[in-house]
Amino acid sequence: MSTADRVAVTPGIARLHASPGLAGPGRLGLVTNHTGVLPDLRPAAPALLEAGARLVALFGPEHGLHGTGQAGESEAAQADPTTGLPVHDTYRCGGERLDKLLVDSGVDALVYDLQDIGARFYTYVWTIFDLMVSAARTGVRFVVADRPNPLGGLVSEGPLLDPAWASFIGRAAVPVRHGLTCGELARHLNASTVPQVAGSVADLTVIEAAGWQRAMDAQATGLPWVAPSPNVPTPATATFYPGTCLFEGTNLSEGRGTTQPFEIVGAPYIDARFAPSLAELALPGVHFRDLRYVPTFHKHAGRPLRGVQLHITDREVFAPVRTAVAMLATLRRLYPDDFGWRTSDGGVEGTGHRHFIDLLWGSDRLRRAVDAGDDPLPLCDPPAPPGRWAGDDVLLYS
């Protein structure tokens, strides 16, 4: 699609900036980070203040308000130097502690504006959930300033999470690739799971992203891309992420510590058989290139690795989750003595901790199928037709 043919999209935060009354009355807290920008890249917090919004506090997710924290990290809570507003760190904060944080902040409503990337295990999704639960319990209104799903909204992949495997990378029954915007996901969670935890629904408002259509990916929106976290630098990375993030649960590098995280995977034991074996699968929309690399940090830091780079040839048919699952099965078949799973504490299997792959997948079915040599691809089927697993009543866009 050429630039001239693009449909202009106005994210919810830009609509709020133009009409601050959309958030309702009272004192506002903004749940945001470096991705919370207007289409002209002005940061939302100072822009809202200039527009007359009663903004009194900021709330940061994983990676922090400025996005400097690596995976599993945030930033120290402190005053924002640009606006002077207090900053509250919500990462790993829940239950009564999060309730108290909301009450002590003095806000009447929370406005959520973060760029999600469309995968269940991306933690911004569960920042919404935890804050909606606390908002319901404390009487704080919850407003989602909606943004497009960068993967589009026509396709979902993977099973619903089994509640027995709930964690901060999956609190509720959502597919791996969910196909919803944050506003739609908030509507679904508020109708299904928030009342089970909070005892009531949250007072939820969604400020829709005007002009977005479900067939539009990040590039088609015409909006600038701001990396949501340090290891998702480009829209292409986001496209791979719902699949290759599963390699976080293995002893392979998923490309962290390189300039191409989630586009490449590798390990010390991989040899010349891997790339040709993947090519033989004829997976739709992707080619695999044999490569060698040395990560500068994270798994296998400083060690020469061999693996593959994924090259998308057709975005319309590329299925990141099915592709990654086929890769996992191939690894177990080719390298049965070397391939392994990591535990939730970052160690190796057999240490008594839960397997991290089970938390990512939302159950132990994928790991068991791969280990048994069974075909795991049927596990990738979504629970309902594409884009409709949550029910048409939560959808805001056509």
Side-chain angles (χ1 to χ4, degrees), residues 51-87:
R54 292 186 62 191
L55 192 58
V56 299
L58 303 177
F59 297 80
E62 183 184 8
H63 309 295
L65 182 70
H66 304 288
T68 63
Q70 278 290 337
E73 300 176 356
S74 58
E75 296 169 342
Q78 56 188 345
D80 174 41
T82 301
T83 62
L85 295 175
V87 179

Side-chain angles (χ1 to χ4, degrees), residues 119-166:
R120 182 182 66 217
F121 30 65
Y122 205 66
T123 61
Y124 296 172
V125 169
W126 307 110
T127 296
I128 293 178
F129 178 78
D130 288 353
L131 286 171
M132 278 204 301
V133 167
S134 280
R137 288 196 292 232
T138 59
V140 172
R141 302 192 320 277
F142 198 85
V143 180
V144 176
D146 211 8
R147 290 181 176 271
N149 184 322
L151 307 183
L154 294 178
V155 177
S156 56
E157 287 187 86
L160 296 176
L161 174 136
D162 181 337
W165 300 93

Side-chain angles (χ1 to χ4, degrees), residues 140-365:
V140 172
R141 302 192 320 277
F142 198 85
V143 180
V144 176
D146 211 8
R147 290 181 176 271
N149 184 322
L151 307 183
L154 294 178
V155 177
S156 56
E157 287 187 86
L160 296 176
L161 174 136
D162 181 337
W165 300 93
S167 70
F168 192 52
I169 55 173
R171 296 275 200 227
V174 172
V176 174
R177 177 182 176 183
H178 52 72
L180 302 182
T181 66
C182 284
E184 292 174 328
L185 194 58
R187 283 161 57 93
H188 169 68
L189 294 171
N190 201 37
S192 60
T193 314
V194 168
Q196 299 174 17
V197 180
S200 66
V201 298
D203 183 355
L204 173 66
T205 298
V206 178
I207 303 173
E208 298 178 31
W212 189 68
Q213 301 171 13
R214 306 202 78 80
M216 299 170 68
D217 62 11
Q219 184 176 5
T221 67
L223 294 171
W225 177 261
V226 178
S229 54
N231 289 290
V232 187
T234 69
T237 317
T239 303
F240 293 116
Y241 181 86
T244 49
C245 185
L246 295 173
F247 284 88
E248 289 189 3
T250 74
N251 62 0
L252 279 85
S253 157
E254 63 276 6
R256 293 182 187 271
T258 76
T259 59
Q260 296 168 304
F262 302 108
E263 294 186 41
I264 62 178
V265 298
Y269 54 81
I270 288 179
D271 57 22
R273 295 175 291 165
F274 188 40
S277 295
L278 294 177
E280 290 175 1
L281 300 178
L283 295 167
V286 64
H287 287 167
F288 300 92
R289 182 178 67 85
D290 180 59
L291 89 160
R292 294 166 174 80
Y293 66 98
V294 179
T296 60
F297 65 88
H298 204 57
K299 284 185 279 183
H300 307 300
R303 299 184 64 185
L305 307 182
R306 190 168 185 173
V308 294
Q309 180 177 359
L310 288 75
H311 293 263
I312 296 176
T313 59
D314 187 341
R315 290 182 180 275
E316 296 297 322
V317 299
F318 174 62
V321 177
R322 293 181 67 87
T323 298
V325 167
M327 294 170 70
L328 292 172
T330 302
L331 286 161
R332 175 59 84 190
R333 175 174 58 84
L334 292 178
Y335 312 106
D337 297 328
D338 296 301
F339 174 78
W341 308 104
R342 298 174 72 231
T343 58
S344 57
D345 67 339
V348 296
E349 54 188 324
T351 60
H353 291 266
R354 293 202 292 181
H355 290 87
F356 193 51
I357 188 66
D358 298 348
L359 301 182
L360 289 165
W361 190 251
S363 77
D364 62 358
R365 294 183 64 197

